[in-house]
């Protein structure tokens, strides 16, 4: 895939996977629009990139903020939704405010962003939509009350978009990473198998974006556990994966 003269909007670009992917896409020749809440972090990233980049701060939890950013956006060839918030949460440790924030930003935030680009993509019959799901979104997991369902919804959104648009010029892709070493996963107190650096995860993302495949889950070996769990009967699934 040739990124030269392509303009991509990265949502959640200020740190972690988004920041790492910005560096790799910029090096590949893409012009970037960088969005997150922190204008300071975004500007520092833009200044460090090898190619052209524009800073476009927004708050995904605020529809007016996203709409205002969309009004300033201009032409884009693609959008990559990488934003997310996370707190470990079991049903026994319910926190309504955190659960709502995860649902709102991780899932509803994608609708707010897509609302800024879909009309133009449909009119041109061209565009590239990349949504970032998670291995935790394949099936319900203990301690994932807010995060898992928000990612499951995002993954279903990607599938619906693909179902509607697969015969059009709009390319829809879904990437489902496992554990990535960030300030979010630093909140976890449990062992995280196959944890990746943001740079390694960004390599996986970029390789997937350069293919024609719809869905890619990684690390591949670890992903088999979650993908395979969909075929387990409920009784056996909860016996294996349920909280003891």
């Amino acid at each position: 895939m040739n990124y030269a003269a392509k303009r991509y909007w990265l949502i959640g670009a200020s740190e972690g996977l988004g920041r790492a992917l910005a560096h790799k896409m910029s090096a590949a020749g893409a012009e970037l629009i960088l969005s997150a809440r922190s204008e300071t972090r975004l500007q520092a990233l833009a200044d460090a990139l090898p190619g052209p980049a524009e800073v476009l701060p927004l708050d995904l939890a605020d529809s007016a903020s996203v709409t205002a950013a969309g009004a300033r956006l201009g032409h884009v060839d693609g959008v990559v939704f990488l934003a997310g918030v996370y707190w470990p949460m079991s049903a026994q440790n319910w926190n309504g405010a955190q659960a709502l924030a995860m649902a709102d930003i991780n899932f509803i935030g994608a609708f707010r962003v897509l609302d800024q680009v879909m009309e133009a993509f449909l009119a041109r019959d061209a565009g590239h939509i990349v949504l970032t799901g998670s291995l935790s979104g394949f099936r319900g997991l203990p301690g994932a009350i807010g995060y898992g369902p928000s990612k499951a919804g995002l993954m279903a959104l990607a599938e619906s978009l693909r179902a509607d648009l697969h015969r059009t010029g709009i390319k829809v892709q879904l990437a489902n990473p496992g554990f990535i070493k960030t300030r979010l996963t630093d909140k976890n107190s449990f062992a995280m198998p196959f944890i990746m650096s943001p740079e390694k995860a960004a390599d996986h993302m970029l390789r997937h974006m350069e293919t024609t495949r719809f869905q890619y889950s990684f690390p591949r070996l670890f992903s088999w556990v979650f993908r395979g769990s969909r075929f387990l009967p409920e009784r056996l699934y909860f016996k294996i994966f349920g909280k003891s």
Side-chain angles (χ1 to χ4, degrees):
M1 182 172 176
N2 183 10
Y3 286 101
K6 298 286 187 180
R7 199 163 183 260
Y8 271 77
W9 189 18
L10 269 59
I11 315 298
S14 62
E15 56 185 303
L17 175 58
R19 184 181 184 87
L21 185 62
H23 276 280
K24 294 183 184 297
M25 291 187 69
S26 181
E31 179 183 347
L32 301 178
I33 303 97
L34 308 171
S35 287
R37 284 186 299 173
S38 173
E39 184 172 2
T40 302
R41 288 181 180 177
L42 291 173
Q43 191 58 60
L45 172 59
D47 293 342
L49 294 178
E54 176 185 342
V55 168
L56 189 61
L58 56 77
D59 182 353
L60 277 175
D62 182 349
S63 294
S65 173
V66 180
T67 300
R72 297 169 50 200
L73 185 63
H75 172 90
V76 290
D77 298 287
V79 58
V80 187
F81 188 83
L82 302 133
V85 295
Y86 166 71
W87 294 272
M89 187 189 305
S90 66
Q92 293 88 341
N93 296 290
W94 185 271
N95 184 312
Q98 291 177 352
L100 286 170
M102 285 185 270
D104 190 33
I105 292 170
N106 301 357
F107 179 47
I108 303 300
F111 285 91
R112 295 185 178 112
V113 166
L114 289 171
D115 197 37
Q116 312 310 310
V117 299
M118 284 303 298
E119 184 177 352
F121 283 1
L122 291 167
R124 297 199 313 262
D125 192 30
H128 188 187
I129 299 168
V130 184
L131 300 181
T132 309
S134 169
L135 296 185
S136 68
F138 281 106
R139 208 161 176 183
L141 293 168
I145 283 291
Y147 191 76
S150 72
K151 288 298 186 176
L154 194 65
M155 292 158 70
L157 170 60
E159 289 182 340
S160 292
L161 287 167
R162 172 74 169 181
D164 282 339
L165 300 171
H166 74 109
R167 296 186 186 277
T168 74
I170 302 171
K171 179 180 175 181
V172 180
Q173 291 184 298
L174 171 64
N176 302 316
F179 295 115
I180 303 172
K181 177 65 176 173
T182 66
R183 65 178 179 87
L184 299 183
T185 53
D186 285 346
K187 299 176 182 180
N188 289 334
S189 58
F190 54 84
M192 292 175 279
F194 298 94
I195 190 166
M196 300 168 283
S197 68
E199 291 72 25
K200 182 67 173 177
D203 283 336
H204 281 280
M205 288 279 295
L206 193 59
R207 284 199 299 269
H208 178 48
M209 289 168 61
E210 292 170 348
T211 72
T212 58
R213 290 176 56 188
F214 164 61
Q215 183 169 198
Y216 176 52
S217 300
F218 60 94
R220 188 177 299 275
L221 182 62
F222 191 40
S223 76
W224 290 347
V225 174
F226 300 90
R227 292 154 60 198
S229 73
R230 294 175 296 174
F231 302 102
L232 293 176
E234 290 177 3
R235 192 169 186 176
L236 180 58
Y237 176 79
F238 289 116
K239 184 176 181 179
I240 296 172
F241 288 90
K243 190 172 182 178
S244 57

